[in-house]
Amino acid sequence: MKILTLDIETSPNLAHVWGLFKQNVAINQLMESGEVIAFAAKWYGSKEVKFYSVHHDGKEEMVNAAHALLSKADAVVHFNGKTFDIPHLNREFVEHGLTPPAPFKQIDLKQIVAKQFRFPSNKLDYVVQRLNIGKKTPHTGHKLWVDCLNGNDKAWALMRKYNKMDVEVTEKLYDRLIPWIPSHPNHGLYGDDKRVCPNCGGPELKKQGKAYTAMSVYQRYKCVDCGKWSRGNKRLDVTPITDVR
Ligand SMILES: [Zn+2]
C-alpha cells in the first residue's frame, strides 16, 4: 500500500478591516484570499521528505506536484487534512483547471485522536510531545508568514524546515496510532499477502480468543507487530436463534 503523509502551509486572507474586535468582513473587503504556499510530503518507508513551495518552485509546479503525488497514493495520512489540507488542495486543483486526482483513502489522525482518547488538547504539537515522539519546529509565529510573503529567503528556509518537520512528526504519530485506527485501509487487499494485519501489514497474527457478533463467532487475532486486533472472516459457529429487532 502506498501511504503518503502530507501537510500544507497556507497564506492568511488579507482584508481591509475597520476595527480590531468582532469584525464582520464582507467579501468586497477581501483584498487577497489565502492560498496554499507550500507543502511537504513523505512516502511511508522512504526517508526523503519532499517539499514544494510557491517560492522555491512556483505555484503551478507546486500544485502539479501535489496532484501527481496524491494520484499515486492509496492512502493519505494527515492531521486535520479532511477539513483543511485536502479541500485547500482541491480548490487549487480546480482553480488550475485540473481534474480530481485519482481517489485515495484518508487517514486523518486528528479525528483518530479525538475519537479514541481524551487529551486536554487535540493539537498535533501537544499530542506528540505528550507521547514523547517529537515536537514541531519552533518558529517566529505570524512574522514567519509575513517574511515569507515578502520573499525573504531565510524565512523560507525556516518554513521548509518547519513544514518538513510537521510531516515527520505526523508520520511518527501515525506509527504510534496504527493499532488504534478503526477501518484502516486493509493491507491484505493491497499486497500479494492476504493473511496479514489489516492495519500494518505485519505477517504474524497470534490467535487470541474469539470475536463475537450478534449471530456468529470468529477466530480473533492480535498482530505481533503493532498490537491491532482483527478477526477471521470464516464463521466458526452461528446461533440457530437470535433476538427480534
Ligand atoms: Zn499490525
Side-chain angles (χ1 to χ4, degrees), residues 178-179 196-205 222-229:
I178 280 179
V196 294
C197 168
N199 280 31
C200 78
E204 250 191 285
L205 301 176
K222 187 175 185 187
C223 173
V224 173
D225 289 318
C226 78
K228 170 72 182 171
W229 294 96

Side-chain angles (χ1 to χ4, degrees), residues 6 15 27 45 48 50 65 67 78 80 89 91 103 106 139 152 173 201 212 231:
L6 175 129
I27 203 83
E48 186 200 0
K50 296 172 188 294
H67 193 276
H78 43 49
N80 200 29
L89 285 172
R91 181 188 44 71
Q106 297 191 53
H139 62 73
N152 181 316
L173 179 62
Y212 298 87
R231 67 164 171 84

Side-chain angles (χ1 to χ4, degrees), residues 3-188:
I3 301 173
L4 186 74
T5 302
L6 175 129
D7 181 59
I8 67 165
E9 301 299 338
T10 58
S11 59
N13 291 310
L14 281 179
H16 286 163
V17 294
W18 302 98
L20 293 180
F21 297 105
K22 287 192 184 175
Q23 293 294 302
N24 230 328
V25 180
I27 203 83
N28 65 4
Q29 289 167 261
L30 193 62
M31 297 296 110
E32 271 177 52
S33 61
E35 58 170 359
V36 178
I37 55 169
F39 79 91
K42 181 177 182 298
W43 289 112
Y44 197 77
S46 147
K47 282 214 162 90
E48 186 200 0
V49 182
K50 296 172 188 294
F51 175 82
Y52 291 86
S53 79
V54 291
H55 183 72
H56 300 90
D57 308 278
K59 184 73 183 271
E60 193 162 344
E61 195 174 329
M62 179 194 75
V63 170
N64 286 335
H67 193 276
L69 282 165
L70 288 177
S71 292
K72 284 189 204 128
D74 294 312
V76 176
V77 172
H78 43 49
F79 198 88
N80 200 29
K82 273 192 188 169
T83 51
F84 188 77
D85 303 61
I86 300 300
H88 256 302
L89 285 172
N90 283 342
R91 181 188 44 71
E92 297 289 358
F93 297 155
V94 74
E95 283 181 4
H96 281 77
L98 297 171
T99 56
F104 49 86
K105 302 279 189 270
Q106 297 191 53
I107 303 171
D108 192 330
L109 298 182
K110 188 168 188 183
Q111 290 189 348
I112 311 290
V113 164
K115 183 187 160 118
Q116 299 286 45
F117 318 113
R118 191 174 170 110
F119 285 109
S121 163
N122 288 335
K123 280 199 182 328
L124 176 63
D125 202 26
Y126 179 84
V127 175
V128 293
Q129 289 196 48
R130 182 78 182 255
L131 297 177
N132 286 318
I133 55 181
K135 57 189 250 185
K136 287 165 71 111
T137 302
H139 62 73
T140 46
H142 182 64
K143 187 173 182 303
L144 176 60
W145 269 255
V146 174
D147 291 346
C148 282
L149 295 179
N150 287 329
N152 181 316
D153 285 335
K154 266 179 86 175
W156 270 107
L158 180 57
M159 180 67 86
R160 177 167 60 195
K161 189 175 166 205
Y162 175 78
N163 197 182
K164 288 172 85 169
M165 180 59 83
D166 265 9
V167 162
E168 289 190 33
V169 298
T170 302
E171 194 192 73
K172 282 186 188 158
L173 179 62
Y174 168 66
D175 267 333
R176 178 73 75 91
L177 296 187
I178 280 179
W180 296 94
I181 299 173
S183 318
H184 189 290
N186 193 333
H187 275 273

